[in-house]
Amino acid sequence: MNKSEFMEIVRHGEPIVGGTDAHAMLVRYSNEALRITAELNGAYHEPDEIRAFFSRLTGKDIDESCFMFPPFYTDFGKNITLGKNVFLNTGCTFQDRGGITIGDGTQIGQNVVLTTLNHGFAPEERNTTFPFPIVIGKNVWISANATVVPGVTIGDNAIIAAGAVVTRDVPANAIVAGVPAKIIKMIV
């Protein structure tokens, strides 16, 4: 399997079964992500150097308006898309094979976890991963220690409270909190 064939599987959101050629490619890219994030997280870097690491990690240009405080962790890296003026605080973990899209002006707090994969529920399918994208709108604020699970869309201007676990879509202009997160207020 070559890179373009593998990336087609990723783009189409196909499951990957352990022990297959696709799984071997996934392990290869995971190791690459580990190398890049180890370099990023291992020493102080100027903001333009941080963006360069993130660009290497994602394989995409990162707008100069984006800002990040390492450390940052990911198990894949190639399926993250950042808008303009995005801020990522320290300790974020993005499990991105299912796809993570972050809109312009979004702020992600410390230790936020965005996870796009589920494993099969049946014991014989536990080594199969099923991807589901996370889409985060514009001007969203995700507070510290929040977790967003696979398949969630967060609407523009929404606020996710600290420690929330977001298990379903969040409408635009909503403030959600709790485990699981529920709407507590709408922004007018």
Side-chain angles (χ1 to χ4, degrees), residues 1 8 22 43 49 58-59 79 87 91 96 106 115 128 130 143 148 163 177 180 188:
M1 171 172 289
E8 274 302 304
E49 294 173 302
T58 64
N79 215 358
F87 173 66
D96 65 284
T106 289
T115 178
T128 301
F130 297 89
S143 301
V148 180
V188 284

Side-chain angles (χ1 to χ4, degrees), residues 123-146:
E124 64 275 5
E125 289 186 342
R126 294 278 163 80
N127 69 347
T128 301
T129 52
F130 297 89
F132 301 93
I134 292 173
V135 178
I136 300 169
K138 295 179 181 179
N139 302 310
V140 171
W141 172 21
I142 302 178
S143 301
N145 298 305

Side-chain angles (χ1 to χ4, degrees), residues 27-163:
V27 169
R28 177 179 159 202
Y29 285 112
S30 294
N31 285 323
E32 178 181 303
L34 289 172
R35 279 190 300 278
I36 294 169
T37 56
E39 288 180 65
L40 169 66
N41 298 335
Y44 172 79
H45 301 284
E46 293 292 328
D48 58 335
E49 294 173 302
I50 293 170
R51 282 188 296 278
F53 276 112
F54 213 75
S55 183
R56 275 180 50 211
L57 181 64
T58 64
K60 301 171 187 159
D61 289 334
I62 303 300
D63 191 83
E64 65 182 22
S65 64
C66 292
F67 196 74
M68 177 199 305
F69 288 149
F72 175 81
Y73 306 97
T74 184
D75 65 342
F76 186 59
K78 301 296 184 215
N79 215 358
I80 300 169
T81 303
L82 299 183
K84 294 181 180 180
N85 203 30
V86 170
F87 173 66
L88 305 178
N89 212 328
T90 61
C92 290
T93 301
F94 290 8
Q95 183 192 51
D96 65 284
R97 187 170 56 83
I100 295 173
T101 303
I102 300 174
D104 297 346
T106 289
Q107 298 182 54
I108 310 273
Q110 293 176 325
N111 303 314
V112 166
V113 175
L114 305 179
T115 178
T116 66
L117 297 177
N118 278 327
H119 288 269
F121 291 161
E124 64 275 5
E125 289 186 342
R126 294 278 163 80
N127 69 347
T128 301
T129 52
F130 297 89
F132 301 93
I134 292 173
V135 178
I136 300 169
K138 295 179 181 179
N139 302 310
V140 171
W141 172 21
I142 302 178
S143 301
N145 298 305
T147 298
V148 180
V149 303
V152 167
T153 296
I154 299 173
D156 294 348
N157 308 311
I159 298 173
I160 311 303

